[in-house]
Amino acid sequence: MEWITQVRPGFGGFDEPYERAKVVFVGVPLDVTSSYRSGTRFAPGRIREASANLETYLMSAGLDVFESLGISDLGDLTVTPTELAATGDRIREVVRKVSLDGKVPAILGGEHTLTYFAVQEFRDAFLVQLDAHRDLREEYLGDRLCHATVMRRVLDTLPAERLIQVGVRSCSKEEAEFARREKIRAYSSEQVMDGTSSVVAEIRKLVGGARVYLTIDLDVLDPSFAPGVATPEPGGISTVQALRLIRGIGELNLCGFDVVELAPPHDDGTSAFAAARLIYELLGAMAGSSK
Ligand code: MN
Ligand code: MN
């Protein structure tokens, strides 16, 4: 794929060959529809940098993720800023290839819009969305497909009962009415704070053995834990609560995941490290459950 630029070192600082990998990272520096703070294009690089400075041994899982899962990093996808559709086609193509090769695609965003393209390859899956926002607007600032409408567009093809929103705490009146009408399953940040393990248990029950795509919008964390995001929203969960959620979700039948909305120009490094840590926790849970 000539529109992927190799980046070395890759996630975690390791360089496993693609053939041996179970999880395959790709950076998608998409940064075109931000309504407030831009800079998500710098996120894949910063997450990789942070990942190389964290332990790869997971105390929670009792294993080293790089010994237990083959992990490879293809590099960064070329983003055509004026043509979202062209970028979207590339996202779909790389996700399809990795998935058909029996591997789990792991996308380092970029803005949340990219999830729309990635999940087109997983029409049978549940979508678990960790996010402060519901992203259910029909249109935002004239755009039908952007970071604020991405889940609404996903629902154009995904049945509403297969979207599960976790950590949400902000939406418009129109989004609230739409969500109520469509009976969209949602757990607010306060519900997660009041009982992370019961939220995980409910998600597990809803999903059963079906495939799950996990999208982590980093603003699900409270701004005190992850200040460097495109749209900070007070009243969020802590890093520890997010780690617990992710540990539970990582044991499900995961077919792909992404981490989006980190905005490095507004970060002191804390948020990039939080992103990398959440990813490691997910990899640890995946490795632990496939043992
Ligand atoms: Mn958000
Ligand atoms: Mn979002």
Side-chain angles (χ1 to χ4, degrees):
M1 296 175 183
E2 69 287 349
W3 33 262
I4 290 184
T5 308
Q6 220 190 42
V7 179
R8 288 294 172 262
F11 184 86
F14 292 81
D15 193 8
E16 277 278 326
Y18 178 82
E19 292 67 33
R20 287 217 301 266
K22 171 72 186 145
V23 177
V24 176
F25 280 87
V26 62
V28 178
L30 183 66
D31 189 9
V32 293
T33 76
S34 287
S35 50
Y36 176 47
R37 313 204 294 197
S38 63
T40 52
R41 77 194 71 172
F42 303 110
R46 291 303 162 76
I47 297 173
R48 287 193 186 97
E49 205 177 300
S51 73
N53 290 289
L54 285 167
E55 293 291 351
T56 59
Y57 179 82
L58 269 284
M59 283 182 70
S60 55
L63 52 79
D64 184 290
V65 291
F66 286 92
E67 283 172 10
S68 310
L69 283 178
I71 294 169
S72 148
D73 190 335
L74 294 174
D76 281 350
L77 195 130
T78 303
V79 167
T80 314
T82 50
E83 272 182 281
L84 186 56
T87 303
D89 288 343
R90 290 172 188 157
I91 296 170
R92 288 188 63 162
E93 195 175 326
V94 67
V95 166
R96 188 184 312 132
K97 176 176 170 31
V98 170
S99 184
L100 286 175
D101 288 341
K103 307 168 191 302
V104 175
I107 302 177
L108 302 173
E111 61 169 83
H112 211 166
T113 315
L114 66 88
T115 305
Y116 169 77
F117 301 105
V119 298
Q120 298 307 317
E121 300 303 321
F122 303 112
R123 299 270 181 110
D124 60 308
F126 276 81
L127 174 58
V128 178
Q129 174 198 3
L130 270 53
D131 202 325
H133 312 96
R134 308 196 74 174
D135 297 346
L136 288 172
R137 287 174 195 267
E138 176 56 34
E139 201 183 284
Y140 191 60
L141 306 178
D143 276 335
R144 275 180 45 84
L145 176 56
C146 67
H147 67 100
T149 67
V150 57
M151 291 304 141
R152 184 67 171 263
R153 291 288 80 75
V154 166
L155 291 179
D156 289 342
T157 52
L158 187 88
E161 64 266 21
R162 280 203 252 122
L163 173 63
I164 305 174
Q165 304 190 303
V166 187
V168 286
R169 55 190 182 274
S170 168
C171 70
S172 67
K173 185 177 168 202
E174 175 225 342
E175 288 174 279
E177 284 166 356
F178 173 80
R180 205 174 303 124
R181 198 165 64 236
E182 298 293 324
K183 301 191 176 59
I184 291 168
R185 189 84 50 166
Y187 300 95
S188 69
S189 52
E190 289 189 44
Q191 283 174 285
V192 175
M193 285 178 221
D194 289 344
T196 312
S197 52
S198 57
V199 170
V200 169
E202 280 191 43
I203 294 172
R204 194 171 291 160
K205 210 164 120 196
L206 282 168
V207 165
R211 297 206 293 175
V212 175
Y213 184 96
L214 172 65
T215 178
I216 304 173
D217 182 329
L218 211 58
D219 66 32
V220 71
L221 295 174
D222 190 81
S224 60
F225 294 93
V229 294
T231 322
E233 180 66 44
I237 62 174
S238 71
T239 306
V240 165
Q241 285 155 344
L243 290 172
R244 286 181 180 161
L245 280 175
I246 280 172
R247 210 175 292 150
I249 295 165
E251 290 170 356
L252 302 172
N253 182 11
L254 221 66
C255 59
F257 67 89
D258 62 53
V259 177
V260 298
E261 294 288 318
L262 171 70
H266 308 282
D267 190 24
D268 60 4
T270 311
S271 321
F273 272 81
R277 188 66 184 76
L278 297 183
I279 293 170
Y280 274 126
E281 197 71 19
L282 186 64
L283 296 173
M286 289 168 72
S289 65
S290 66
K291 265 201 302 203

